[in-house]
Amino acid sequence: MALTEDLGRAGDITAQACVPQGTRMRAAISARAAGVAAGLDVARVTLALLDPAARVEMRLSDGAAFTAGTTLVTFDGDARAVLAAERTALNLIGRLCGVATLTRAYVDAVAGTGTRIADTRKTTPGLRALEKHAVAMGGGLNHRFGLDDAVLIKDNHVALCGGPAEAVRRARASVGHLTKVEVEVDRLDQLREVLALTALGVGPDVVMLDNFSLDDLRTAVMETAGRVTLEASGGVTLKSVRGIAETGVDVISVGALTHSAPSLDVGLDVIG
């Protein structure tokens, strides 16, 4: 889809005009800034669609940290194909390395606390699988991939059900024993309401503590005492994430990993 968007009806008319047919080209994608590798194989797939005989070498593995100036991928193929694939490959690699790099920063920020960093479904439409791969390469956890992975009862579900406990009861009655159930709460009294279900064997597996203060997070951890997994969410930043982790929650979900990660600056240069 990305190549079709870029090549349009007539293909790369600039390369067709300037580069003789059959010309070969060696090129490299290099990082202009430090970061974490993710999605490098996208370059192989992109060029293979235009030149199946091209040789592509991954110089790093996904998940590897690199410094500015590092060569990530090298190409040897039809020059017109390399030039036509260039921007699509760079856009995707830059995007995915950016997600992995930001994720690594969050993971490093909570190091030693025992808390894990997770993504959300706030992904670029059509790129969710790639962006969640990038999160994993940065050391983060993948939350749901879609609406069919697990039950996640959000505030609107709670409102329509008349309360979080009723929503959890309905979910438990509907899904199979292998399906996880998570419920979002935004107050301690709601947490207590759903924890009461745990003693009856129909409680949630995970409780999402949405926009809780640090004091309320500490109280939630103390009162839950490990009976369910606690996930903190809502407006988490690199500045605030360490303090949240130190309250003792199990997971912190961060929408910014995919909705606000800046693309890493990467470029393609001729090397022969």
Side-chain angles (χ1 to χ4, degrees):
M1 288 175 63
L3 282 172
T4 298
E5 177 181 64
D6 213 21
L7 296 174
R9 296 167 297 176
D12 182 359
I13 61 175
T14 305
Q16 292 167 21
C18 298
V19 180
Q21 188 171 3
T23 301
R24 294 197 64 79
M25 174 181 178
R26 293 186 67 239
I29 292 178
S30 300
R32 311 298 199 220
V36 176
L40 299 187
D41 207 47
V42 164
R44 185 198 310 277
V45 175
T46 303
L47 184 55
L49 290 170
L50 300 177
D51 179 10
R55 294 193 297 273
V56 182
E57 180 185 358
M58 304 295 112
R59 301 292 290 273
L60 289 179
S61 298
D62 279 5
F66 54 80
T67 57
T70 300
T71 297
L72 306 177
V73 185
T74 58
F75 300 103
D76 185 345
D78 180 84
R80 289 185 177 183
V82 173
L83 293 171
E86 174 181 357
R87 179 43 54 195
T88 292
L90 292 178
N91 284 351
L92 288 169
I93 289 174
R95 170 67 182 152
L96 299 176
C97 287
V99 170
T101 301
L102 183 60
T103 301
R104 184 67 56 83
Y106 272 89
V107 170
D108 288 347
V110 302
T113 65
T115 300
R116 302 290 302 275
I117 299 296
D119 57 24
T120 70
R121 285 171 42 244
K122 296 176 182 178
T123 54
T124 306
L127 295 183
R128 179 170 295 166
L130 289 174
E131 291 178 348
K132 282 182 171 283
H133 167 74
V135 168
M137 292 303 96
L141 297 174
N142 291 146
H143 212 289
R144 293 188 301 172
F145 270 77
L147 294 172
D148 60 343
D149 283 6
V151 172
L152 176 44
I153 301 165
K154 300 282 285 180
D155 53 352
N156 289 331
H157 301 104
V158 168
L160 290 169
C161 290
E166 177 59 23
V168 171
R169 277 192 287 265
R170 292 184 190 183
R172 282 295 183 207
S174 176
V175 301
H177 66 291
L178 294 180
T179 302
K180 294 280 189 177
V181 174
E182 178 172 9
V183 61
E184 175 186 283
V185 300
D186 53 24
R187 303 188 311 271
L188 284 170
D189 64 298
Q190 291 182 324
L191 171 64
R192 292 163 185 146
E193 183 181 334
V194 298
L195 286 178
L197 297 176
T198 303
L200 303 176
V202 291
D205 301 288
V206 185
V207 177
M208 179 186 293
L209 308 171
D210 187 48
N211 285 299
F212 271 43
S213 68
L214 293 181
D215 284 343
D216 282 352
L217 287 174
R218 293 185 193 97
T219 300
V221 170
M222 180 184 65
E223 294 189 7
T224 300
R227 285 178 287 170
V228 300
T229 297
L230 290 179
E231 173 187 337
S233 73
V236 180
T237 67
L238 273 172
K239 184 177 180 179
S240 67
V241 70
R242 179 78 189 189
I244 296 171
E246 289 175 345
T247 66
V249 294
D250 302 292
V251 179
I252 302 173
S253 54
V254 186
L257 300 183
T258 51
H259 72 56
S260 295
S263 289
L264 193 84
D265 189 7
V266 295
L268 183 144
D269 300 297
V270 177
I271 56 175

